[in-house]
């Protein structure tokens, strides 16, 4: 069902009103229904609404909703399509943003010795953001994290990724988090690495990423998975 969120025209607002953010409770979505009864034939209380934004490309740049973590899912699907010469499990979990719920149960079900979390991370490489707050940059390749708000990553895995991976950048700030926060603390501990796609405007209706960065995360995940499976870092 398509609808429109309307608002008072900007030229009809006074100076103070222009500074205020409209509260969610004051918004409604017009779906063209004439009556409450006709509206209820299309929608129900509790239905989820999202901003309608179609996937687009401009050169190597992609624009889409939920690049975090559609990009991670796409990378894992590509690895499944190209079987690897070692045993591994792929998990696609839910509830990351509200407590890594799916990752908690998956960690115990899979019972892995090592894990690579493949996701997207905020870039903030835009005008007016100071260099020290630019967590990573688009077009600079995959992002390897040494630490974030939920995880201290395996030092050997992180160092090896920075050493041997092509087109990779370290995450430049202790920020954000992902399913690793649940995985690395499960059972007696799981050695964990995170490889991320840089993403501007993460968690918004229009995220921005670079196709070459996504490819870099794919290639470096394959490389690191093979190194870890070989036992070189045991």
């Amino acid at each position: 069902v398509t609808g429109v969120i309307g608002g008072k025209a900007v030229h009809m607002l006074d100076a103070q009103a222009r500074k205020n953010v409209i509260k969610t409770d004051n918004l409604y979505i017009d779906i063209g229904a004439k009556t409450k009864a006709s509206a209820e034939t299309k929608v129900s209380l509790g239905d989820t609404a999202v901003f309608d934004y179609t996937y687009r490309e401009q050169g190597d740049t992609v624009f889409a909703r939920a690049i975090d973590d559609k990009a991670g899912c796409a990378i894992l699907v590509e690895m499944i399509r190209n079987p690897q010469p070692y045993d591994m499990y792929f998990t696609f979990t839910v509830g990351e943003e509200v407590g890594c719920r799916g990752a908690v149960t998956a960690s115990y079900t899979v019972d892995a010795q090592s894990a690579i979390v493949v996701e997207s991370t905020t870039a903030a490489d835009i005008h007016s953001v100071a260099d020290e707050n630019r967590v990573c940059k688009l077009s600079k390749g995959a992002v390897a994290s040494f630490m974030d708000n939920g995880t201290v990553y395996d030092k050997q895995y992180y160092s090896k990724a920075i050493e041997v991976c092509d087109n990779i950048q370290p995450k430049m700030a202790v920020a954000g988090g992902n399913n690793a926060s649940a995985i690395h603390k499960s059972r007696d501990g799981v050695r964990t690495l995170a490889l991320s796609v840089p993403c501007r405007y993460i968690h918004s209706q229009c995220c921005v990423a670079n196709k070459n960065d996504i490819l870099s995360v794919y290639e470096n995940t394959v490389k690191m998975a093979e190194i870890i499976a070989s036992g070189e870092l045991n």
Side-chain angles (χ1 to χ4, degrees):
V1 177
T2 300
V4 175
I5 297 175
K8 187 178 288 188
V10 66
H11 66 277
M12 298 177 67
L13 300 175
D14 59 34
Q16 183 57 46
R18 294 183 189 189
K19 296 178 182 179
N20 296 335
V21 177
I22 301 174
K23 295 181 179 180
T24 305
D25 290 345
N26 293 332
L27 295 175
Y28 67 87
I29 303 174
D30 184 348
I31 62 170
K34 294 182 178 180
T35 64
K36 179 180 178 180
S38 64
E40 289 176 340
T41 65
K42 300 293 184 180
V43 296
S44 303
L45 287 175
D47 284 350
T48 300
V50 297
F51 287 97
D52 183 13
Y53 194 91
T54 305
Y55 174 88
R56 304 176 191 176
E57 295 184 7
Q58 186 168 299
D60 291 329
T61 303
V62 296
F63 307 83
R65 285 191 293 111
I67 287 179
D68 179 38
D69 208 19
K70 287 180 178 177
C73 292
I75 290 165
L76 296 186
V77 168
E78 192 64 22
M79 290 182 71
I80 293 170
R81 288 174 172 169
N82 296 277
Q84 309 303 316
Y86 39 79
D87 293 333
M88 63 192 306
Y89 289 84
F90 297 86
T91 61
F92 300 80
T93 61
V94 299
E96 183 223 13
E97 303 297 347
V98 291
C100 302
R101 295 170 183 172
V104 172
T105 54
S107 297
Y108 285 86
T109 302
V110 174
D111 193 20
Q113 294 178 316
S114 302
I116 301 177
V117 175
V118 185
E119 53 125 27
S120 301
T121 191
T122 186
D125 58 334
I126 56 177
H127 175 70
S128 79
V129 176
D131 284 345
E132 61 269 22
N133 294 325
R134 298 185 177 195
V135 178
C136 58
K137 297 180 179 180
L138 262 66
S139 306
K140 297 296 183 181
V143 182
S145 300
F146 62 91
M147 180 179 176
D148 58 35
N149 289 331
T151 308
V152 177
Y153 292 91
D154 186 276
K155 184 176 181 180
Q156 273 190 300
Y157 288 6
Y158 169 78
S159 298
K160 192 66 175 180
I162 295 297
E163 175 190 347
V164 305
C165 289
D166 299 319
N167 198 24
I168 195 166
Q169 56 182 313
K171 190 169 182 175
M172 299 303 293
V174 178
N178 55 54
N179 283 330
S181 64
I183 296 168
H184 85 291
K185 293 181 291 188
S186 67
R187 305 186 325 278
D188 56 348
V190 179
R191 301 179 69 183
T192 306
L193 171 71
L195 294 176
S196 308
V197 175
C199 180
R200 292 181 187 147
Y201 323 117
I202 202 166
H203 301 165
S204 74
Q205 68 270 25
C206 181
C207 303
V208 177
N210 182 280
K211 288 190 286 186
N212 293 322
D213 291 339
I214 297 172
L215 177 61
S216 174
V217 174
Y218 167 75
E219 292 176 340
N220 288 323
T221 299
V222 171
K223 179 179 289 187
M224 286 305 300
E226 185 171 1
I227 290 172
I228 291 170
S230 74
E232 176 183 336
L233 302 178
N234 290 345

